[in-house]
Amino acid sequence: NAGVTQTPKFRILKIGQSMTLQCTQDMNHNYMYWYRQDPGMGLKLIYYSVGAGITDKGEVPNGYNVSRSTTEDFPLRLELAAPSQTSVYFCASTPAGSYEQYFGPGTRLTVT
Amino acid sequence: KQEVTQIPAALSVPEGENLVLNCSFTDSAIYNLQWFRQDPGKGLTSLLLIQSSQREQTSGRLNASLDKSSGRSTLYIAASQPGDSATYLCAVDHTDKLIFGTGTRLQVFP
């Protein structure tokens, strides 16, 4: 198993541009999550999904959108990038009946 | 609102020392508490998960304890090694969402 994979690893965006951060897991996990981590801070939940077709907002959802059309994929969309969205983004997944989260390696995004 | 605090923010110790990392949370209504390790530029790796009904969990040189009533958890690392150098994050599972602390950055020097 590759586990949780994220692409791209790094990205620089100009203000107002859009992009999609990709997240894929091959463990057939039901639950998937998107977090952001600002420098020197803990992780904050952006959106999460309990299964295909179901998504819900986390603590800091403004400026982001998600979809979950398959069990494997959980892309995160930034529509109008702002400097405040400069951060490291982590995707994670959890199997049903478990509390343990498996994290991807992260995407480092800079908006200038 | 659940808040998670970790003390100290950074720690530098010589190899071989036993050390304790602290985590405190404001709302005792948690499902579980997890400790993670984060290496620079990498994702998080789960170290230990303590269910709300448990008092401690052990894995190798790591031991984590949980005192829900006082809102505290400690991660004990025995006989520290340079390879233990990383940031350690605790997170509480509160209403099915993880709330993270800001982490303790640990450096173990030879």
mmCIF file of all heavy atoms in Angstrom, chain A residues 77-107:
data_model
loop_
_atom_site.group_PDB
_atom_site.id
_atom_site.type_symbol
_atom_site.label_atom_id
_atom_site.label_comp_id
_atom_site.label_asym_id
_atom_site.label_seq_id
_atom_site.Cartn_x
_atom_site.Cartn_y
_atom_site.Cartn_z
ATOM 1 N N ARG A 77 -10.072 22.229 -2.928
ATOM 2 C CA ARG A 77 -10.055 23.290 -3.934
ATOM 3 C C ARG A 77 -9.925 24.651 -3.269
ATOM 4 O O ARG A 77 -10.670 24.963 -2.321
ATOM 5 C CB ARG A 77 -11.356 23.228 -4.740
ATOM 6 C CG ARG A 77 -11.517 24.294 -5.798
ATOM 7 C CD ARG A 77 -10.860 23.887 -7.084
ATOM 8 N NE ARG A 77 -11.068 24.901 -8.127
ATOM 9 C CZ ARG A 77 -10.281 25.020 -9.182
ATOM 10 N NH1 ARG A 77 -9.253 24.206 -9.342
ATOM 11 N NH2 ARG A 77 -10.521 25.934 -10.076
ATOM 12 N N LEU A 78 -8.969 25.453 -3.780
ATOM 13 C CA LEU A 78 -8.859 26.860 -3.392
ATOM 14 C C LEU A 78 -9.310 27.682 -4.588
ATOM 15 O O LEU A 78 -8.733 27.565 -5.678
ATOM 16 C CB LEU A 78 -7.426 27.243 -3.056
ATOM 17 C CG LEU A 78 -6.833 26.834 -1.715
ATOM 18 C CD1 LEU A 78 -6.609 25.346 -1.651
ATOM 19 C CD2 LEU A 78 -5.538 27.594 -1.462
ATOM 20 N N GLU A 79 -10.344 28.490 -4.425
ATOM 21 C CA GLU A 79 -10.906 29.200 -5.568
ATOM 22 C C GLU A 79 -10.211 30.527 -5.839
ATOM 23 O O GLU A 79 -9.892 30.851 -6.964
ATOM 24 C CB GLU A 79 -12.399 29.441 -5.342
ATOM 25 C CG GLU A 79 -13.248 28.192 -5.426
ATOM 26 C CD GLU A 79 -13.242 27.566 -6.823
ATOM 27 O OE1 GLU A 79 -12.787 28.218 -7.784
ATOM 28 O OE2 GLU A 79 -13.692 26.410 -6.966
ATOM 29 N N LEU A 80 -9.996 31.325 -4.834
ATOM 30 C CA LEU A 80 -9.362 32.635 -4.982
ATOM 31 C C LEU A 80 -8.279 32.731 -3.916
ATOM 32 O O LEU A 80 -8.538 33.143 -2.793
ATOM 33 C CB LEU A 80 -10.391 33.759 -4.794
ATOM 34 C CG LEU A 80 -11.461 33.908 -5.865
ATOM 35 C CD1 LEU A 80 -12.544 34.891 -5.419
ATOM 36 C CD2 LEU A 80 -10.820 34.397 -7.177
ATOM 37 N N ALA A 81 -7.063 32.328 -4.300
ATOM 38 C CA ALA A 81 -6.006 32.222 -3.306
ATOM 39 C C ALA A 81 -5.699 33.570 -2.660
ATOM 40 O O ALA A 81 -5.648 34.609 -3.342
ATOM 41 C CB ALA A 81 -4.747 31.650 -3.945
ATOM 42 N N ALA A 82 -5.476 33.535 -1.354
ATOM 43 C CA ALA A 82 -5.126 34.733 -0.582
ATOM 44 C C ALA A 82 -3.864 34.439 0.224
ATOM 45 O O ALA A 82 -3.590 33.277 0.549
ATOM 46 C CB ALA A 82 -6.272 35.104 0.360
ATOM 47 N N PRO A 83 -3.075 35.466 0.540
ATOM 48 C CA PRO A 83 -1.847 35.246 1.318
ATOM 49 C C PRO A 83 -2.098 34.498 2.634
ATOM 50 O O PRO A 83 -1.226 33.753 3.094
ATOM 51 C CB PRO A 83 -1.330 36.662 1.573
ATOM 52 C CG PRO A 83 -1.839 37.453 0.417
ATOM 53 C CD PRO A 83 -3.203 36.878 0.120
ATOM 54 N N SER A 84 -3.287 34.678 3.220
ATOM 55 C CA SER A 84 -3.596 33.988 4.477
ATOM 56 C C SER A 84 -3.694 32.474 4.301
ATOM 57 O O SER A 84 -3.731 31.732 5.299
ATOM 58 C CB SER A 84 -4.923 34.513 5.046
ATOM 59 O OG SER A 84 -5.980 34.261 4.135
ATOM 60 N N GLN A 85 -3.742 32.005 3.059
ATOM 61 C CA GLN A 85 -3.800 30.574 2.811
ATOM 62 C C GLN A 85 -2.416 29.948 2.625
ATOM 63 O O GLN A 85 -2.310 28.742 2.354
ATOM 64 C CB GLN A 85 -4.689 30.284 1.601
ATOM 65 C CG GLN A 85 -6.150 30.637 1.854
ATOM 66 C CD GLN A 85 -7.026 30.422 0.648
ATOM 67 O OE1 GLN A 85 -6.766 30.967 -0.428
ATOM 68 N NE2 GLN A 85 -8.089 29.650 0.825
ATOM 69 N N THR A 86 -1.391 30.744 2.772
ATOM 70 C CA THR A 86 -0.034 30.207 2.792
ATOM 71 C C THR A 86 0.104 29.302 4.008
ATOM 72 O O THR A 86 -0.098 29.733 5.147
ATOM 73 C CB THR A 86 0.997 31.347 2.855
ATOM 74 O OG1 THR A 86 0.941 32.089 1.647
ATOM 75 C CG2 THR A 86 2.401 30.794 3.065
ATOM 76 N N SER A 87 0.427 28.038 3.767
ATOM 77 C CA SER A 87 0.432 27.070 4.843
ATOM 78 C C SER A 87 0.930 25.729 4.302
ATOM 79 O O SER A 87 1.211 25.590 3.114
ATOM 80 C CB SER A 87 -0.989 26.904 5.409
ATOM 81 O OG SER A 87 -0.985 26.160 6.608
ATOM 82 N N VAL A 88 1.042 24.756 5.199
ATOM 83 C CA VAL A 88 1.281 23.381 4.786
ATOM 84 C C VAL A 88 -0.033 22.626 4.973
ATOM 85 O O VAL A 88 -0.646 22.701 6.045
ATOM 86 C CB VAL A 88 2.399 22.708 5.592
ATOM 87 C CG1 VAL A 88 2.617 21.280 5.099
ATOM 88 C CG2 VAL A 88 3.700 23.509 5.476
ATOM 89 N N TYR A 89 -0.458 21.918 3.938
ATOM 90 C CA TYR A 89 -1.736 21.230 3.956
ATOM 91 C C TYR A 89 -1.507 19.725 4.057
ATOM 92 O O TYR A 89 -0.749 19.146 3.284
ATOM 93 C CB TYR A 89 -2.523 21.560 2.686
ATOM 94 C CG TYR A 89 -2.982 23.001 2.665
ATOM 95 C CD1 TYR A 89 -2.121 24.014 2.239
ATOM 96 C CD2 TYR A 89 -4.248 23.353 3.100
ATOM 97 C CE1 TYR A 89 -2.519 25.338 2.237
ATOM 98 C CE2 TYR A 89 -4.667 24.678 3.104
ATOM 99 C CZ TYR A 89 -3.790 25.655 2.680
ATOM 100 O OH TYR A 89 -4.193 26.974 2.680
ATOM 101 N N PHE A 90 -2.193 19.114 5.019
ATOM 102 C CA PHE A 90 -2.083 17.674 5.224
ATOM 103 C C PHE A 90 -3.435 17.014 5.020
ATOM 104 O O PHE A 90 -4.460 17.502 5.487
ATOM 105 C CB PHE A 90 -1.599 17.366 6.642
ATOM 106 C CG PHE A 90 -0.182 17.729 6.903
ATOM 107 C CD1 PHE A 90 0.148 18.884 7.591
ATOM 108 C CD2 PHE A 90 0.849 16.912 6.446
ATOM 109 C CE1 PHE A 90 1.466 19.227 7.834
ATOM 110 C CE2 PHE A 90 2.178 17.243 6.683
ATOM 111 C CZ PHE A 90 2.480 18.400 7.374
ATOM 112 N N CYS A 91 -3.385 15.889 4.348
ATOM 113 C CA CYS A 91 -4.548 15.035 4.191
ATOM 114 C C CYS A 91 -4.348 13.821 5.092
ATOM 115 O O CYS A 91 -3.207 13.359 5.277
ATOM 116 C CB CYS A 91 -4.668 14.610 2.730
ATOM 117 S SG CYS A 91 -6.048 13.528 2.362
ATOM 118 N N ALA A 92 -5.429 13.307 5.652
ATOM 119 C CA ALA A 92 -5.346 12.135 6.521
ATOM 120 C C ALA A 92 -6.556 11.250 6.290
ATOM 121 O O ALA A 92 -7.587 11.703 5.774
ATOM 122 C CB ALA A 92 -5.260 12.549 7.988
ATOM 123 N N SER A 93 -6.426 9.988 6.660
ATOM 124 C CA SER A 93 -7.558 9.075 6.548
ATOM 125 C C SER A 93 -7.596 8.129 7.741
ATOM 126 O O SER A 93 -6.583 7.909 8.418
ATOM 127 C CB SER A 93 -7.483 8.264 5.248
ATOM 128 O OG SER A 93 -6.417 7.342 5.282
ATOM 129 N N THR A 94 -8.779 7.596 8.001
ATOM 130 C CA THR A 94 -9.011 6.681 9.125
ATOM 131 C C THR A 94 -9.972 5.597 8.680
ATOM 132 O O THR A 94 -10.985 5.900 8.036
ATOM 133 C CB THR A 94 -9.633 7.444 10.318
ATOM 134 O OG1 THR A 94 -8.766 8.497 10.720
ATOM 135 C CG2 THR A 94 -9.872 6.522 11.503
ATOM 136 N N PRO A 95 -9.693 4.346 9.019
ATOM 137 C CA PRO A 95 -10.668 3.300 8.687
ATOM 138 C C PRO A 95 -11.860 3.356 9.628
ATOM 139 O O PRO A 95 -11.749 3.856 10.755
ATOM 140 C CB PRO A 95 -9.863 2.012 8.887
ATOM 141 C CG PRO A 95 -8.797 2.374 9.856
ATOM 142 C CD PRO A 95 -8.469 3.815 9.628
ATOM 143 N N ALA A 96 -13.002 2.846 9.178
ATOM 144 C CA ALA A 96 -14.177 2.785 10.027
ATOM 145 C C ALA A 96 -13.866 1.942 11.257
ATOM 146 O O ALA A 96 -13.169 0.934 11.176
ATOM 147 C CB ALA A 96 -15.348 2.186 9.255
ATOM 148 N N GLY A 97 -14.348 2.387 12.413
ATOM 149 C CA GLY A 97 -14.140 1.640 13.644
ATOM 150 C C GLY A 97 -12.814 1.890 14.319
ATOM 151 O O GLY A 97 -12.493 1.268 15.323
ATOM 152 N N SER A 98 -12.017 2.789 13.761
ATOM 153 C CA SER A 98 -10.711 3.108 14.342
ATOM 154 C C SER A 98 -10.616 4.601 14.586
ATOM 155 O O SER A 98 -11.307 5.396 13.963
ATOM 156 C CB SER A 98 -9.597 2.668 13.395
ATOM 157 O OG SER A 98 -8.337 3.162 13.820
ATOM 158 N N TYR A 99 -9.734 4.983 15.515
ATOM 159 C CA TYR A 99 -9.488 6.390 15.765
ATOM 160 C C TYR A 99 -8.158 6.852 15.187
ATOM 161 O O TYR A 99 -7.883 8.042 15.140
ATOM 162 C CB TYR A 99 -9.474 6.664 17.271
ATOM 163 C CG TYR A 99 -10.804 6.441 17.934
ATOM 164 C CD1 TYR A 99 -10.987 5.391 18.821
ATOM 165 C CD2 TYR A 99 -11.870 7.297 17.685
ATOM 166 C CE1 TYR A 99 -12.210 5.193 19.445
ATOM 167 C CE2 TYR A 99 -13.092 7.105 18.307
ATOM 168 C CZ TYR A 99 -13.257 6.055 19.186
ATOM 169 O OH TYR A 99 -14.453 5.859 19.800
ATOM 170 N N GLU A 100 -7.326 5.917 14.736
ATOM 171 C CA GLU A 100 -5.980 6.285 14.311
ATOM 172 C C GLU A 100 -5.998 6.918 12.931
ATOM 173 O O GLU A 100 -6.538 6.341 11.989
ATOM 174 C CB GLU A 100 -5.074 5.063 14.315
ATOM 175 C CG GLU A 100 -3.619 5.392 14.023
ATOM 176 C CD GLU A 100 -2.707 4.201 14.206
ATOM 177 O OE1 GLU A 100 -3.182 3.155 14.705
ATOM 178 O OE2 GLU A 100 -1.523 4.311 13.850
ATOM 179 N N GLN A 101 -5.397 8.093 12.817
ATOM 180 C CA GLN A 101 -5.341 8.792 11.534
ATOM 181 C C GLN A 101 -3.987 8.562 10.875
ATOM 182 O O GLN A 101 -2.947 8.636 11.515
ATOM 183 C CB GLN A 101 -5.597 10.289 11.725
ATOM 184 C CG GLN A 101 -7.016 10.584 12.192
ATOM 185 C CD GLN A 101 -7.429 12.030 12.032
ATOM 186 O OE1 GLN A 101 -6.742 12.836 11.398
ATOM 187 N NE2 GLN A 101 -8.574 12.384 12.603
ATOM 188 N N TYR A 102 -4.029 8.326 9.571
ATOM 189 C CA TYR A 102 -2.839 8.136 8.757
ATOM 190 C C TYR A 102 -2.678 9.377 7.882
ATOM 191 O O TYR A 102 -3.579 9.737 7.145
ATOM 192 C CB TYR A 102 -2.980 6.894 7.875
ATOM 193 C CG TYR A 102 -3.087 5.603 8.640
ATOM 194 C CD1 TYR A 102 -4.286 5.231 9.259
ATOM 195 C CD2 TYR A 102 -1.994 4.749 8.760
ATOM 196 C CE1 TYR A 102 -4.382 4.057 9.972
ATOM 197 C CE2 TYR A 102 -2.093 3.564 9.468
ATOM 198 C CZ TYR A 102 -3.288 3.219 10.070
ATOM 199 O OH TYR A 102 -3.383 2.054 10.776
ATOM 200 N N PHE A 103 -1.489 9.989 7.976
ATOM 201 C CA PHE A 103 -1.267 11.259 7.316
ATOM 202 C C PHE A 103 -0.448 11.122 6.037
ATOM 203 O O PHE A 103 0.449 10.285 5.935
ATOM 204 C CB PHE A 103 -0.536 12.231 8.255
ATOM 205 C CG PHE A 103 -1.451 12.856 9.265
ATOM 206 C CD1 PHE A 103 -1.825 12.161 10.403
ATOM 207 C CD2 PHE A 103 -1.937 14.136 9.077
ATOM 208 C CE1 PHE A 103 -2.685 12.734 11.340
ATOM 209 C CE2 PHE A 103 -2.787 14.720 10.003
ATOM 210 C CZ PHE A 103 -3.165 14.016 11.136
ATOM 211 N N GLY A 104 -0.754 11.997 5.077
ATOM 212 C CA GLY A 104 0.080 12.146 3.901
ATOM 213 C C GLY A 104 1.273 13.041 4.220
ATOM 214 O O GLY A 104 1.356 13.605 5.307
ATOM 215 N N PRO A 105 2.211 13.205 3.264
ATOM 216 C CA PRO A 105 3.434 13.961 3.499
ATOM 217 C C PRO A 105 3.248 15.469 3.461
ATOM 218 O O PRO A 105 4.150 16.204 3.848
ATOM 219 C CB PRO A 105 4.355 13.503 2.362
ATOM 220 C CG PRO A 105 3.409 13.128 1.273
ATOM 221 C CD PRO A 105 2.200 12.570 1.932
ATOM 222 N N GLY A 106 2.103 15.943 2.985
ATOM 223 C CA GLY A 106 1.834 17.378 2.997
ATOM 224 C C GLY A 106 2.111 18.067 1.673
ATOM 225 O O GLY A 106 2.899 17.583 0.844
ATOM 226 N N THR A 107 1.436 19.197 1.481
ATOM 227 C CA THR A 107 1.671 20.101 0.356
ATOM 228 C C THR A 107 1.991 21.473 0.929
ATOM 229 O O THR A 107 1.201 22.024 1.699
ATOM 230 C CB THR A 107 0.432 20.212 -0.549
ATOM 231 O OG1 THR A 107 0.186 18.965 -1.196
ATOM 232 C CG2 THR A 107 0.635 21.300 -1.601
#
